Amino acid sequence: MISAWSTATGRALRAVRSSSAPLTYGLIALCCLLFALGPASGLTPGYGTGNALLAAQRAYFRRWGVVPAELFAGPVREALTPATALFVHGSWVHLLGNMLFLFVFGAMTEQRMGRVEFALFYVGCGYLALLGYAAANATSAQSLVGASGAISAVLGAFLYLFPRARVTSLLPFLFFLPVRFPAWVVLPFWAALQWAAAERTSAGPGVAYLAHLVGFGLGFGYAWVRYGRTTRVRSAPAPAPEGENQP
């Protein structure tokens, strides 16, 4: 078993190193690995079952996630949680939805920015997105986890850099038939959905739509300031198909 895991890990690392967007695929692999080893996946027997597993999950999210009430009033170590929370996910659906969006939009964005800049951009915007959500819900004791803020920033940057790249989307009112639209149609529509959902959602458990909006705005603003109109990419190959899960 150990030998099989070592072989699989070695192959995955070689594939990441040889790819055109190693950081994007490395982030996906890291998030999947950490999720598989954590209590939310249900794959690690050491966390127990039933109530013991639920207690382990709550403790895990509280340790590595952002708790707004503790972030601003707790010990200094809490300042690190908006960074650690980017690599923690609450469920299989949460993980797969986020990783799908990162897979679709991350590679082209990384290739345009370069590895080092993309890494700093991803972590920095993700940190600020979660910090913005925490500031708006400063009294909340709910744990916030996930890469949604960082991935939303990638979407915002992608919109500015590749506005004409065509994205395949699944629309429920068309019986989930795949339809291809340019990014300047799909991504603003996605952002509008996040805004509408944020208006309806109160503080508490659920999806942190405000973090999505903050991340999206930061990503678009960064690309606009950093690259300007003279270096804007007019067209690009279409990315891989996208599902309808929202980060």
Side-chain angles (χ1 to χ4, degrees), residues 38-60:
S41 69
L43 300 177
T44 307
Y47 290 108
T49 59
N51 291 333
L53 178 60
L54 293 176
Q57 291 174 355
R58 287 193 294 268
Y60 186 81

Side-chain angles (χ1 to χ4, degrees), residues 16 28 30 35 39-40 61 82 86 113 133 152 170 205 208 215 227 231 233 238:
V16 167
I28 293 173
L30 178 60
F35 180 79
F61 297 149
L86 296 176
M113 291 184 175
Y133 176 89
S152 297
L170 298 178
Y227 295 97
T231 59
V233 177

Side-chain angles (χ1 to χ4, degrees), residues 24-25 28 32 89 92-107 151 155 168 170 239-247:
T24 296
Y25 301 133
I28 293 173
C32 290
H89 291 83
W92 283 101
V93 172
H94 188 202
L95 172 75
L96 295 177
N98 275 349
M99 295 305 101
L100 175 61
F101 267 62
L102 182 56
F103 175 77
V104 170
F105 296 101
I151 296 172
L155 267 61
T168 301
L170 298 178
E242 168 197 341
E244 65 165 353
N245 287 328
Q246 300 175 3

Side-chain angles (χ1 to χ4, degrees), residues 113-125:
M113 291 184 175
R115 300 175 188 177
V116 175
E117 182 179 349
F118 182 77
L120 296 175
F121 165 82
Y122 183 89
V123 175
C125 288

